Amino acid sequence: MSNDTRPVWAAIDLQALRHNYRVLQKLCHPGGVMPIVKADAYGHGAVEAVGALWADGARAFGVAYLEEALELRERFAQARILVMGPSLPTQAAAFVAACDGDIMPAVASWDQAVAFSQAACEAGKTLGVHIKVDTGMGRLGFLVAPSPADSSEPVAQLIQRVSRLPGLRLEGIYTHLTDADEQVSIADEQWGLFQRVRSDLLELDVSIPIQHIANSAGILRWAGRADRVADYSRPGIVLYGISPSADPRPPADFRPVLSLRSRITHIKDLPAGHSVSYNRTYFAPGPIRFAILPLGYADGLRRDLSNLGQVLIRGRRAPIIGRVCMDQTMVDVTGIPDAAVGDETVLIGRSGQDEITAGEMAGWCRTIPYEIVCGISKRVPRVYS
Ligand SMILES: *Cc1c(COP(=O)(O)O)cnc(C)c1O
């Protein structure tokens, strides 16, 4: 950071990212790893993350939206990119125009398949797609009814009809786990339903070359089960060194990639009984010394942390006092008498012997670490090393 800029930054350790990718390659062997880099690589910076993983041989990536795929392809012309999010049938022409066999949309409904097929035929192209089936998530995808009586047409027959649409080539089939980290049996049931669809399809002579199922929680749960990790796994959060479950620690062998840092810009003493910040939610119990940090909820430091969260200064914890504001946050440094203007403040990451993980911060905010890292706003510069 130069002396002229606001001292707030997210430090992104690309070596840690590459390390995590290599750990995942071992866990998913002999299947491959498709790093999930949607939402700007969970706030870490998609172009930089893909650049780092490219050096380790990653070539296929997953994003949510076409715009994200286009941004990546501009920089990585050889990348194969799966677009997993929902899209309107009216976007089909835009997909077809963008796709040259490298950007592949998920197809999750009959109407969408027809729209893609028509757009591909009009453009004289063949569009590679991945079929998304819903084995229990209750979200996007062709629903695999747990019991055949629950659906008018078996999903395999529906997919067979999709496979006969002109202009489409079914390259992959996948499903998404609803809960591989907490409820043990559901992921296994989903695996079973997914395999049933695959074998029904084979009976109908529909062969789809690639199958994939596991997200981070699935990989951690099924590690070493080569059958379950399939042709690809789709890790997101664990690639960034963050646990997919409520555990605030990173899973074994993984290293956190992001840390959020700032510096103290002011230090102030307050007499007993004085309040701090908007709405007077905090009153000094005695004379206190507090520090002002130049970031707030507009940077993604959530307001839920008001009177609750902590930061690290000189390896020690300083509690956030009063409301987190849009651009400023106050922390009590009475217990850290050597704290000084210019000191580094760690909001997420390590300082001395102590560490605040995205998972710990998420616990304070009653949310998941995904939302914490995705929520670090554009105003925070990312500093890569
Ligand atoms: C986001 C996403 C993933 C990655 O999930 P993590 O829990 O971050 O590993 C995998 N597959 C699909 C379909 C997704 O939407």
Side-chain angles (χ1 to χ4, degrees), residues 36 38 42 84 132 139 174 176 215-216 234-237 370:
I36 302 301
K38 60 191 175 187
Y42 293 44
M84 305 181 298
K132 172 75 182 283
R139 200 177 68 177
Y174 73 104
H176 193 37
N215 56 2
S216 297
R234 304 185 309 269
I237 199 80
Y370 299 70

PDB file of all heavy atoms in Angstrom, residues 36 38 42 84 132 139 174 176 215-216 234-237 370, ligand 1:
ATOM      1  N   ILE A  36     -13.890 -24.052  -8.890  1.00  0.00           N
ATOM      2  CA  ILE A  36     -15.059 -23.190  -9.018  1.00  0.00           C
ATOM      3  C   ILE A  36     -14.626 -21.763  -8.676  1.00  0.00           C
ATOM      4  O   ILE A  36     -14.154 -21.497  -7.563  1.00  0.00           O
ATOM      5  CB  ILE A  36     -16.201 -23.659  -8.100  1.00  0.00           C
ATOM      6  CG1 ILE A  36     -16.574 -25.114  -8.436  1.00  0.00           C
ATOM      7  CG2 ILE A  36     -17.405 -22.740  -8.240  1.00  0.00           C
ATOM      8  CD1 ILE A  36     -17.027 -25.368  -9.872  1.00  0.00           C
ATOM      9  N   LYS A  38     -16.612 -18.892  -9.469  1.00  0.00           N
ATOM     10  CA  LYS A  38     -17.733 -17.942  -9.588  1.00  0.00           C
ATOM     11  C   LYS A  38     -17.562 -16.835  -8.546  1.00  0.00           C
ATOM     12  O   LYS A  38     -16.780 -16.967  -7.597  1.00  0.00           O
ATOM     13  CB  LYS A  38     -19.049 -18.681  -9.377  1.00  0.00           C
ATOM     14  CG  LYS A  38     -19.171 -19.359  -8.006  1.00  0.00           C
ATOM     15  CD  LYS A  38     -20.369 -20.295  -7.929  1.00  0.00           C
ATOM     16  CE  LYS A  38     -20.400 -21.039  -6.606  1.00  0.00           C
ATOM     17  NZ  LYS A  38     -21.444 -22.066  -6.568  1.00  0.00           N
ATOM     18  N   TYR A  42     -14.907 -16.318  -5.311  1.00  0.00           N
ATOM     19  CA  TYR A  42     -15.324 -16.140  -3.912  1.00  0.00           C
ATOM     20  C   TYR A  42     -14.638 -14.912  -3.303  1.00  0.00           C
ATOM     21  O   TYR A  42     -14.182 -14.928  -2.160  1.00  0.00           O
ATOM     22  CB  TYR A  42     -14.996 -17.384  -3.081  1.00  0.00           C
ATOM     23  CG  TYR A  42     -15.769 -18.651  -3.435  1.00  0.00           C
ATOM     24  CD1 TYR A  42     -15.960 -19.035  -4.745  1.00  0.00           C
ATOM     25  CD2 TYR A  42     -16.281 -19.468  -2.436  1.00  0.00           C
ATOM     26  CE1 TYR A  42     -16.661 -20.197  -5.059  1.00  0.00           C
ATOM     27  CE2 TYR A  42     -16.977 -20.637  -2.744  1.00  0.00           C
ATOM     28  CZ  TYR A  42     -17.159 -20.983  -4.065  1.00  0.00           C
ATOM     29  OH  TYR A  42     -17.845 -22.142  -4.374  1.00  0.00           O
ATOM     30  N   MET A  84     -22.723 -22.595 -14.608  1.00  0.00           N
ATOM     31  CA  MET A  84     -23.631 -23.447 -13.837  1.00  0.00           C
ATOM     32  C   MET A  84     -24.916 -22.768 -13.383  1.00  0.00           C
ATOM     33  O   MET A  84     -25.837 -23.434 -12.924  1.00  0.00           O
ATOM     34  CB  MET A  84     -22.900 -23.966 -12.593  1.00  0.00           C
ATOM     35  CG  MET A  84     -21.603 -24.691 -12.905  1.00  0.00           C
ATOM     36  SD  MET A  84     -20.811 -25.304 -11.396  1.00  0.00           S
ATOM     37  CE  MET A  84     -20.488 -23.770 -10.535  1.00  0.00           C
ATOM     38  N   LYS A 132     -27.854 -30.830 -15.996  1.00  0.00           N
ATOM     39  CA  LYS A 132     -27.895 -30.705 -14.545  1.00  0.00           C
ATOM     40  C   LYS A 132     -29.113 -31.465 -14.026  1.00  0.00           C
ATOM     41  O   LYS A 132     -30.242 -31.190 -14.463  1.00  0.00           O
ATOM     42  CB  LYS A 132     -28.013 -29.216 -14.184  1.00  0.00           C
ATOM     43  CG  LYS A 132     -28.265 -28.932 -12.703  1.00  0.00           C
ATOM     44  CD  LYS A 132     -27.014 -29.123 -11.893  1.00  0.00           C
ATOM     45  CE  LYS A 132     -27.210 -28.901 -10.410  1.00  0.00           C
ATOM     46  NZ  LYS A 132     -27.287 -27.489 -10.033  1.00  0.00           N
ATOM     47  N   ARG A 139     -33.347 -27.402  -6.246  1.00  0.00           N
ATOM     48  CA  ARG A 139     -33.008 -26.115  -6.856  1.00  0.00           C
ATOM     49  C   ARG A 139     -32.958 -26.346  -8.358  1.00  0.00           C
ATOM     50  O   ARG A 139     -33.858 -26.977  -8.903  1.00  0.00           O
ATOM     51  CB  ARG A 139     -31.677 -25.624  -6.257  1.00  0.00           C
ATOM     52  CG  ARG A 139     -31.410 -24.163  -6.402  1.00  0.00           C
ATOM     53  CD  ARG A 139     -30.116 -23.725  -5.735  1.00  0.00           C
ATOM     54  NE  ARG A 139     -28.917 -24.260  -6.388  1.00  0.00           N
ATOM     55  CZ  ARG A 139     -27.671 -23.985  -6.040  1.00  0.00           C
ATOM     56  NH1 ARG A 139     -27.430 -23.189  -5.021  1.00  0.00           N
ATOM     57  NH2 ARG A 139     -26.653 -24.491  -6.696  1.00  0.00           N
ATOM     58  N   TYR A 174     -24.290 -33.751 -14.348  1.00  0.00           N
ATOM     59  CA  TYR A 174     -23.857 -33.537 -12.968  1.00  0.00           C
ATOM     60  C   TYR A 174     -25.035 -33.236 -12.065  1.00  0.00           C
ATOM     61  O   TYR A 174     -26.146 -32.940 -12.516  1.00  0.00           O
ATOM     62  CB  TYR A 174     -22.809 -32.433 -12.894  1.00  0.00           C
ATOM     63  CG  TYR A 174     -23.302 -31.011 -13.085  1.00  0.00           C
ATOM     64  CD1 TYR A 174     -23.435 -30.151 -11.995  1.00  0.00           C
ATOM     65  CD2 TYR A 174     -23.617 -30.521 -14.338  1.00  0.00           C
ATOM     66  CE1 TYR A 174     -23.864 -28.839 -12.158  1.00  0.00           C
ATOM     67  CE2 TYR A 174     -24.045 -29.217 -14.513  1.00  0.00           C
ATOM     68  CZ  TYR A 174     -24.160 -28.372 -13.425  1.00  0.00           C
ATOM     69  OH  TYR A 174     -24.588 -27.085 -13.596  1.00  0.00           O
ATOM     70  N   HIS A 176     -25.751 -31.668  -7.741  1.00  0.00           N
ATOM     71  CA  HIS A 176     -25.141 -30.860  -6.683  1.00  0.00           C
ATOM     72  C   HIS A 176     -25.641 -31.362  -5.330  1.00  0.00           C
ATOM     73  O   HIS A 176     -26.832 -31.646  -5.173  1.00  0.00           O
ATOM     74  CB  HIS A 176     -25.530 -29.397  -6.900  1.00  0.00           C
ATOM     75  CG  HIS A 176     -24.732 -28.422  -6.094  1.00  0.00           C
ATOM     76  ND1 HIS A 176     -23.383 -28.564  -5.836  1.00  0.00           N
ATOM     77  CD2 HIS A 176     -25.096 -27.262  -5.491  1.00  0.00           C
ATOM     78  CE1 HIS A 176     -22.964 -27.530  -5.105  1.00  0.00           C
ATOM     79  NE2 HIS A 176     -23.980 -26.739  -4.877  1.00  0.00           N
ATOM     80  N   ASN A 215     -18.879 -31.307  -4.454  1.00  0.00           N
ATOM     81  CA  ASN A 215     -18.397 -29.969  -4.105  1.00  0.00           C
ATOM     82  C   ASN A 215     -17.363 -30.143  -2.995  1.00  0.00           C
ATOM     83  O   ASN A 215     -16.917 -31.279  -2.726  1.00  0.00           O
ATOM     84  CB  ASN A 215     -19.580 -29.089  -3.662  1.00  0.00           C
ATOM     85  CG  ASN A 215     -20.352 -29.726  -2.507  1.00  0.00           C
ATOM     86  OD1 ASN A 215     -19.993 -30.803  -2.003  1.00  0.00           O
ATOM     87  ND2 ASN A 215     -21.419 -29.076  -2.082  1.00  0.00           N
ATOM     88  N   SER A 216     -16.982 -29.063  -2.329  1.00  0.00           N
ATOM     89  CA  SER A 216     -15.949 -29.178  -1.287  1.00  0.00           C
ATOM     90  C   SER A 216     -16.334 -30.200  -0.225  1.00  0.00           C
ATOM     91  O   SER A 216     -15.538 -31.072   0.140  1.00  0.00           O
ATOM     92  CB  SER A 216     -15.733 -27.828  -0.601  1.00  0.00           C
ATOM     93  OG  SER A 216     -15.247 -26.889  -1.514  1.00  0.00           O
ATOM     94  N   ARG A 234     -15.908 -30.510  -8.108  1.00  0.00           N
ATOM     95  CA  ARG A 234     -16.081 -29.068  -8.286  1.00  0.00           C
ATOM     96  C   ARG A 234     -15.849 -28.329  -6.965  1.00  0.00           C
ATOM     97  O   ARG A 234     -16.791 -27.793  -6.378  1.00  0.00           O
ATOM     98  CB  ARG A 234     -17.507 -28.776  -8.797  1.00  0.00           C
ATOM     99  CG  ARG A 234     -17.906 -29.482 -10.077  1.00  0.00           C
ATOM    100  CD  ARG A 234     -19.276 -29.006 -10.541  1.00  0.00           C
ATOM    101  NE  ARG A 234     -20.272 -29.073  -9.485  1.00  0.00           N
ATOM    102  CZ  ARG A 234     -21.055 -30.128  -9.257  1.00  0.00           C
ATOM    103  NH1 ARG A 234     -20.990 -31.195 -10.032  1.00  0.00           N
ATOM    104  NH2 ARG A 234     -21.905 -30.104  -8.258  1.00  0.00           N
ATOM    105  N   PRO A 235     -14.610 -28.257  -6.514  1.00  0.00           N
ATOM    106  CA  PRO A 235     -14.384 -27.580  -5.230  1.00  0.00           C
ATOM    107  C   PRO A 235     -14.397 -26.062  -5.369  1.00  0.00           C
ATOM    108  O   PRO A 235     -13.817 -25.502  -6.288  1.00  0.00           O
ATOM    109  CB  PRO A 235     -12.979 -28.051  -4.839  1.00  0.00           C
ATOM    110  CG  PRO A 235     -12.303 -28.310  -6.149  1.00  0.00           C
ATOM    111  CD  PRO A 235     -13.380 -28.815  -7.071  1.00  0.00           C
ATOM    112  N   GLY A 236     -15.084 -25.432  -4.455  1.00  0.00           N
ATOM    113  CA  GLY A 236     -15.043 -23.980  -4.344  1.00  0.00           C
ATOM    114  C   GLY A 236     -14.361 -23.612  -3.037  1.00  0.00           C
ATOM    115  O   GLY A 236     -13.150 -23.458  -2.967  1.00  0.00           O
ATOM    116  N   ILE A 237     -15.130 -23.552  -1.976  1.00  0.00           N
ATOM    117  CA  ILE A 237     -14.664 -22.944  -0.724  1.00  0.00           C
ATOM    118  C   ILE A 237     -13.352 -23.551  -0.211  1.00  0.00           C
ATOM    119  O   ILE A 237     -12.479 -22.850   0.281  1.00  0.00           O
ATOM    120  CB  ILE A 237     -15.788 -23.009   0.344  1.00  0.00           C
ATOM    121  CG1 ILE A 237     -15.532 -22.012   1.465  1.00  0.00           C
ATOM    122  CG2 ILE A 237     -15.981 -24.410   0.900  1.00  0.00           C
ATOM    123  CD1 ILE A 237     -15.925 -20.618   1.149  1.00  0.00           C
ATOM    124  N   TYR A 370     -18.669 -18.440   3.240  1.00  0.00           N
ATOM    125  CA  TYR A 370     -18.848 -18.089   1.825  1.00  0.00           C
ATOM    126  C   TYR A 370     -19.319 -16.635   1.710  1.00  0.00           C
ATOM    127  O   TYR A 370     -18.834 -15.868   0.897  1.00  0.00           O
ATOM    128  CB  TYR A 370     -19.935 -18.950   1.171  1.00  0.00           C
ATOM    129  CG  TYR A 370     -19.738 -20.443   1.116  1.00  0.00           C
ATOM    130  CD1 TYR A 370     -19.798 -21.235   2.255  1.00  0.00           C
ATOM    131  CD2 TYR A 370     -19.547 -21.085  -0.098  1.00  0.00           C
ATOM    132  CE1 TYR A 370     -19.675 -22.618   2.183  1.00  0.00           C
ATOM    133  CE2 TYR A 370     -19.419 -22.471  -0.178  1.00  0.00           C
ATOM    134  CZ  TYR A 370     -19.493 -23.235   0.976  1.00  0.00           C
ATOM    135  OH  TYR A 370     -19.378 -24.592   0.909  1.00  0.00           O
TER     136      TYR A 370
HETATM  137  C1  LIG B   1     -20.815 -23.198  -5.938  1.00  0.00           C
HETATM  138  C2  LIG B   1     -20.906 -24.546  -6.485  1.00  0.00           C
HETATM  139  C3  LIG B   1     -19.909 -25.506  -6.211  1.00  0.00           C
HETATM  140  C4  LIG B   1     -18.795 -25.271  -5.229  1.00  0.00           C
HETATM  141  O1  LIG B   1     -19.298 -25.403  -3.922  1.00  0.00           O
HETATM  142  P1  LIG B   1     -18.340 -25.347  -2.636  1.00  0.00           P
HETATM  143  O2  LIG B   1     -19.225 -25.682  -1.512  1.00  0.00           O
HETATM  144  O3  LIG B   1     -17.822 -23.951  -2.573  1.00  0.00           O
HETATM  145  O4  LIG B   1     -17.263 -26.337  -2.881  1.00  0.00           O
HETATM  146  C5  LIG B   1     -19.997 -26.726  -6.862  1.00  0.00           C
HETATM  147  N1  LIG B   1     -21.028 -26.999  -7.702  1.00  0.00           N
HETATM  148  C6  LIG B   1     -22.012 -26.114  -7.950  1.00  0.00           C
HETATM  149  C7  LIG B   1     -23.118 -26.490  -8.868  1.00  0.00           C
HETATM  150  C8  LIG B   1     -21.998 -24.859  -7.357  1.00  0.00           C
HETATM  151  O5  LIG B   1     -22.989 -23.995  -7.583  1.00  0.00           O
END
